[in-house]
Amino acid sequence: MMISRGRRMKRHQGLFITFEGSEGCGKSTQSKMLLDHLEAEGVLAVLLREPGGVKISEKVREILLDKKNTAMTKECETLLYMAARAQLVEEALLPELKKGKVVILDRFLDSTVAYQGYGCGVDAATIRAIGLFATQGVQPDVTFFLDLDAAEGLRRRGSERD
């Protein structure tokens, strides 16, 4: 399913595409396939990682994915995702869009609403408000939502969990 965000005032020339969906649904695979296709067609494109993608965000990623951090509160987790996202937007996403590139991200704000909001119970409106601040209002031009039965997605993931 493709979700178009509609036209809005853009501060850049590029195109911002995100892939969203449950665990194991193929977001990373589809993101990479799109990048390869665009590059083969001569389109300037970049695939960024979230959380991560830039030095500070990668450090935050290490904290978020460290299985020893079992006492992390849902609020702390939410804010760490937003902090990593804010750095990525400023350091990589906006500069690449301003160069006119197609920027592809496997996950963005929708994932935080889904996992920390609906999954952990953080207020979705609060997440969206913090997200607006953290992303400087940048929204994807197009989001591809990959729908797959949760049990099948977890089976595909195997024992790899965070």
Side-chain angles (χ1 to χ4, degrees):
M1 171 190 302
M2 182 175 76
I3 302 169
S4 176
R5 303 292 177 172
R7 297 310 301 161
R8 66 193 187 292
M9 195 133 165
K10 289 174 73 168
R11 299 180 296 175
H12 53 77
Q13 299 299 314
L15 182 67
F16 179 25
I17 300 172
T18 59
F19 283 84
E20 296 282 0
S22 62
E23 296 299 318
C25 71
K27 295 178 300 297
S28 298
T29 300
Q30 294 300 318
S31 297
K32 179 70 170 111
M33 287 173 62
L34 177 59
L35 176 70
D36 292 345
H37 173 75
L38 292 172
E39 289 179 338
E41 294 294 319
V43 176
L44 295 175
V46 62
L47 176 61
L48 297 176
R49 166 175 155 140
E50 191 181 88
V54 295
K55 189 174 182 176
I56 292 171
S57 299
E58 287 293 333
K59 294 288 187 185
V60 174
R61 179 186 179 89
E62 288 175 23
I63 294 167
L64 284 164
L65 300 182
D66 186 342
K67 292 179 172 106
K68 293 181 257 173
N69 291 334
T70 58
M72 186 182 303
T73 67
K74 61 187 179 184
E75 295 83 4
C76 179
E77 181 180 67
T78 301
L79 292 170
L80 285 172
Y81 275 108
M82 293 298 187
R85 184 170 294 129
Q87 196 67 33
L88 178 70
V89 166
E90 178 65 24
E91 259 188 76
L93 186 108
L94 280 175
E96 296 293 351
L97 289 173
K98 287 176 182 174
K99 292 175 190 172
K101 291 185 180 181
V102 175
V103 177
I104 305 164
L105 260 178
D106 171 352
R107 299 189 187 273
F108 198 59
L109 189 57
D110 292 331
S111 285
T112 307
V113 171
Y115 284 89
Q116 283 65 47
Y118 296 107
C120 296
V122 177
D123 179 66
T126 300
I127 292 172
R128 287 186 187 96
I130 296 168
L132 186 65
F133 170 72
T135 64
Q136 301 177 45
V138 173
Q139 295 179 14
D141 294 294
V142 177
T143 295
F144 291 98
F145 178 75
L146 306 180
D147 190 14
L148 179 70
D149 177 72
E152 173 62 17
L154 291 174
R155 185 193 66 73
R156 287 181 180 186
R157 294 281 304 196
S159 61
E160 182 185 328
R161 296 193 178 152
D162 62 34

